[in-house]
C-alpha cells in the first residue's frame, strides 16, 4: 500500500540548512505528485511546496520561495526538500503527502520535526 | 493568501451532531470543488476524511458528511463519538500562486 516516510529533521541553528527526505513505497514517484506541508508547534497546517508527478513543475509557498528547493532521486524513489537560511519561523513538523489516486493530500507520512534554535 | 476561516472549537455530547464551517473567498472555496477535510489526532498526521466537497474515502465512517455553498464549506459529524475528538482542517485549491490553502483548524471536543 502507499506509504511515505519522512526523515532528516533535527535541530539546526538560525541561518543553517537541512535536507528532508520523503521515501515512497507502494507506488513510484512518477505516478503521483508530492506535497510538503508543515505544522508549527500548536498551530495549523501550512502548505509548503509541490512537485508534479513528472517533475516538470515545482511550486513553493511565498514564505519559502528562494530558500527551499525540491528534488528527487528516482532510483531511490525518494523526494527531497532542501531548506536554506532557516529561521525560527521554519520550526515545524514537516509532512509529505501525495497528490494520489483520489485527490491532493490523500496519503500522508508521519512527519519529521525541524527545530531552528540557537 | 490568508488561511480559510474555521471556528476555533466546537463541542457536542455523544450521539449529537455538530457542524464545522470553513469560509474562504471567491478565489478558493467559491471557485473550486477541490475542497477537502482532514482529521488530526494529537501527535498524529492528518487523515483525509472528505475530498472534492462531499466524497468520503473508503473506510471513512458515513457519520462524516460535507457540503459547500458559495464561499463556505461545512463538515457535519453525526452520532458524535469519543473517538471523534480531534482537530479538523479544511483545504482548498486556490487560483493564487500558493496552490493550496488550509483552514485555521477546529478543535472538536466530545463532552
Amino acid at each position: 500500500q502507499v506509504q511515505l516516510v519522512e526523515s532528516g529533521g533535527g535541530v539546526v541553528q538560525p541561518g543553517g540548512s537541512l535536507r528532508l527526505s520523503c521515501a515512497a513505497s507502494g507506488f513510484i514517484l512518477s505516478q503521483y505528485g508530492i506535497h510538503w506541508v508543515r505544522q508549527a508547534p500548536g498551530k495549523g497546517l501550512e502548505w509548503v511546496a509541490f512537485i508534479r508527478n513528472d517533475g516538470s513543475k515545482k511550486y513553493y509557498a511565498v514564505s519559502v520561495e528562494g530558500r527551499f528547493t525540491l528534488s528527487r532521486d528516482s532510483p531511490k524513489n525518494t523526494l527531497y526538500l532542501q531548506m536554506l537560511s532557516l529561521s525560527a519561523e521554519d520550526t515545524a513538523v514537516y509532512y509529505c503527502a501525495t497528490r494520489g489516486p483520489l485527490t491532493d493530500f490523500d496519503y500522508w507520512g508521519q512527519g519529521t520535526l525541524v527545530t531552528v534554535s540557537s | 493568501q490568508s488561511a480559510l476561516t474555521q471556528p476555533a472549537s466546537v463541542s457536542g455530547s455523544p450521539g449529537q451532531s455538530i457542524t464545522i464551517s470553513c469560509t474562504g473567498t471567491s478565489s478558493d472555496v467559491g471557485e473550486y470543488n477541490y475542497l477537502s477535510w482532514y482529521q488530526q489526532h494529537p501527535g498524529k498526521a492528518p487523515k483525509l476524511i472528505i475530498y472534492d466537497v462531499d466524497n468520503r474515502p473508503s473506510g471513512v465512517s458515513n457519520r462524516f458528511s460535507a457540503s459547500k455553498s458559495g464561499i463556505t464549506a461545512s463538515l457535519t459529524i453525526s452520532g458524535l463519538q469519543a473517538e471523534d475528538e480531534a482537530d479538523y482542517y479544511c483545504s482548498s485549491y486556490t487560483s493564487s500562486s500558493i496552490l493550496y490553502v488550509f483552514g485555521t483548524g477546529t478543535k472538536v471536543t466530545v463532552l
Side-chain angles (χ1 to χ4, degrees):
Chain A
Q1 73 278 17
V2 172
Q3 190 171 6
L4 300 169
V5 178
E6 303 93 336
S7 61
V11 180
V12 60
Q13 292 189 337
S17 62
L18 211 55
R19 190 181 76 163
L20 305 184
S21 301
C22 172
S25 60
F27 70 101
I28 302 172
L29 281 180
S30 60
Q31 289 180 274
Y32 301 147
I34 299 291
H35 292 275
W36 284 92
V37 177
R38 68 184 180 183
Q39 186 170 35
K43 302 296 185 181
L45 302 171
E46 179 189 13
W47 176 80
V48 173
F50 171 73
I51 182 169
R52 287 188 178 178
N53 63 307
D54 60 5
S56 62
K57 290 207 73 171
K58 304 169 187 177
Y59 303 82
Y60 301 94
V62 171
S63 56
V64 307
E65 180 88 53
R67 300 188 299 121
F68 290 12
T69 303
L70 288 165
S71 64
R72 66 186 191 182
D73 185 330
S74 295
K76 292 185 178 180
N77 214 34
T78 297
L79 184 74
Y80 301 104
L81 182 68
Q82 179 70 51
M83 306 186 296
L84 305 176
S85 303
L86 289 165
S87 69
E89 288 69 40
D90 297 313
T91 293
V93 174
Y94 285 74
Y95 298 98
C96 57
T98 55
R99 170 180 281 184
L102 285 180
T103 188
D104 291 86
F105 315 109
D106 49 1
Y107 293 95
W108 296 68
Q110 85 290 350
T112 187
L113 175 62
V114 172
T115 302
V116 184
S117 174
S118 54
Chain B
Q1 176 79 37
S2 299
L4 307 176
T5 302
Q6 298 180 231
S9 63
V10 174
S11 62
S13 300
Q16 286 187 328
S17 294
I18 61 169
T19 297
I20 302 168
S21 61
C22 169
T23 301
T25 70
S26 57
S27 297
D28 39 62
V29 177
E31 183 169 0
Y32 302 100
N33 286 329
Y34 298 119
L35 194 292
S36 297
W37 291 89
Y38 312 87
Q39 177 191 61
Q40 186 180 33
H41 287 107
K44 300 294 186 181
K47 172 190 173 184
L48 179 71
I49 57 173
I50 295 286
Y51 68 97
D52 294 352
V53 178
D54 58 3
N55 292 279
R56 278 188 312 275
S58 175
V60 172
S61 172
N62 59 9
R63 297 185 298 104
F64 295 96
S65 62
S67 63
K68 188 189 84 165
S69 178
I71 62 170
T72 300
S74 299
L75 172 72
T76 297
I77 309 175
S78 305
L80 202 60
Q81 299 180 2
E83 66 203 48
D84 300 330
E85 189 161 289
D87 293 326
Y88 292 81
Y89 294 90
C90 57
S91 76
S92 174
Y93 185 81
T94 171
S95 57
S96 79
S97 61
I98 70 166
L99 207 66
Y100 260 96
V101 61
F102 284 92
T104 49
T106 299
K107 182 176 181 60
V108 169
T109 301
V110 181
L111 301 171

